[in-house]
Amino acid sequence: VYERLEKEFASKENKVFVELNKRLQDNFHRMFNAHDKKIELDKNYNIRMYYKTDIGFREETNLSEGEKVARNFAFIVTILEFNQKQKANGDKFSDTLPIVLDGPFSKLGDENIQLVSGCLPQIAEQVILFMLEKDWRYTGLDNYVGSKYYIEKESEESFAKLQKMGG
């Protein structure tokens, strides 16, 4: 019985693993202007980034901060999309997941900010972003905003105030 269950579990896990890797790659290319790169999950579910060379792809282990952000965003979007699909298929263990991001775009270029932020309303019913105004203008998310706040902090104070904008 154990061997049969183990074999069934491994088969289902492999199916999910293949689907996640495909979605991860699709999301990475949809969200980032990086056609000479690809990302994949290894067997331990670590995200690896590869660069195109003349003889194929080679793994890059010394990633820039922007590449790390790109890799992580693609992974987050992939997991949330997979969760949405499972929920739509009646999986009782899937639930609506909010996203809370602190300074998510600070290491991305203007073009990539727009590409990434465009995915957020599609994959989450609720997104809470803490970010600088300079990055916000590139998001294109104004039509999706329910409430907007700013943090007011005096340099000599040990606390900050949250103020609703426009009111």
Side-chain angles (χ1 to χ4, degrees):
V1 172
Y2 174 78
E3 288 175 6
R4 181 174 168 208
L5 288 174
E6 185 178 40
K7 186 176 179 179
E8 283 184 37
F9 178 80
S11 173
K12 287 180 181 182
E13 181 185 25
N14 188 54
K15 184 178 175 184
V16 168
F17 182 80
V18 168
E19 182 179 349
L20 285 176
N21 252 327
K22 181 186 179 322
R23 285 176 180 252
L24 182 64
Q25 189 62 33
D26 290 346
N27 285 327
F28 181 70
H29 284 294
R30 180 172 53 123
M31 293 166 41
F32 298 98
N33 190 15
H35 300 289
D36 60 336
K37 302 172 190 170
K38 69 177 186 174
I39 58 175
E40 291 180 345
L41 294 173
D42 66 16
K43 291 296 180 186
N44 293 319
Y45 294 88
N46 296 308
I47 310 167
R48 305 284 184 201
M49 183 174 281
Y50 299 90
Y51 284 82
K52 192 175 202 174
T53 67
D54 293 338
I55 57 172
F57 284 90
R58 72 170 175 82
E59 183 177 2
E60 178 59 60
T61 56
N62 189 22
L63 302 177
S64 71
E65 291 302 312
E67 288 169 329
K68 290 176 187 176
V69 169
R71 175 194 67 186
N72 294 342
F73 259 116
F75 183 71
I76 290 167
V77 167
T78 299
I79 294 300
L80 290 170
E81 278 181 345
F82 184 78
N83 182 64
Q84 278 182 333
K85 180 184 172 199
Q86 294 301 102
K87 184 178 178 183
N89 290 336
D91 185 339
K92 63 183 177 183
F93 297 109
S94 294
D95 199 2
T96 302
L97 301 172
I99 301 175
V100 179
L101 302 168
D102 183 9
F105 307 124
S106 61
K107 304 268 195 269
L108 297 177
D110 305 344
E111 180 183 338
N112 285 332
I113 290 173
Q114 189 173 12
L115 291 171
V116 171
S117 60
C119 294
L120 296 177
Q122 298 169 18
I123 59 154
E125 291 180 17
Q126 182 182 28
V127 180
I128 300 169
L129 299 170
F130 294 92
M131 62 189 304
L132 298 173
E133 187 68 34
K134 73 173 185 67
D135 294 332
W136 176 258
R137 67 178 162 225
Y138 299 107
T139 65
L141 294 174
D142 288 314
N143 293 334
Y144 298 97
V145 175
S147 297
K148 196 172 183 180
Y149 296 84
Y150 67 94
I151 298 172
E152 185 178 291
K153 169 107 170 69
E154 299 292 331
S155 57
E156 62 274 355
E157 301 290 336
S158 61
F159 62 91
K161 296 177 187 175
L162 192 62
Q163 301 287 333
K164 187 167 187 171
M165 294 182 75

